[in-house]
Amino acid sequence: MPLEFDPLPYPAEALEPHIDRKTMEIHHGKHHRAYFDKMTAALAGTEAAMMGVGRLLANVGGLGPAVRNNGGGYYNHNIYWASMSPAGGGDPAGALGAAVERELGGADALRKEMADAGVARFGSGFAWLIVQKQKLKVVSTPNQDNPLMDVCGESCRGAPILALDVWEHAYYLTYQNRRPDYIAAFWNVADWKSANRRYEEAMSAGA
Ligand code: MN
């Protein structure tokens, strides 16, 4: 499957007032685009260029820092856009909602655990809800690493269900240094419907 740069799944202003239009335009059109272009350049003419993104990331440790950073940046932003929706917010439902209750103590506890992981991430990175050994887990990764990568230790490997970008470029224009306020706003647009789809797929794939 070729690695493609997709448009945002909703208009750039669709997440306002929680995430502003200018941030989304720069984040997608400049940051995400640059990761894609640099990944493509780093992979040009290599056998790794023929891997799907899942296999690429699972073998990224041997492919050098340009592929690790930009391949991660490419994948992470795709799942971050998909983790938000103008129709988002509320609490997880379906199989994911039941698992959040059973395994994490409910939606409020999940939001707190993920917010704590995002705030505690020094510098730049992501907080994630993942499935690891058929159980939900909250983890965080530095820079553009992610839970699919072979460089992620056993404690953070898994199938991504929800991605929260805590790089300053994700929130600085509206929230400046107030990362906790940005994370609180994120929950108003968190797309639990797509998260539930990823959860069901990960569970049935044996993640
Ligand atoms: Mn970002």
Side-chain angles (χ1 to χ4, degrees), residues 27 77 126 144 165 167 169:
H27 201 173
H77 288 87
F126 283 74
Q144 294 295 352
D165 188 344
W167 283 60
H169 67 222

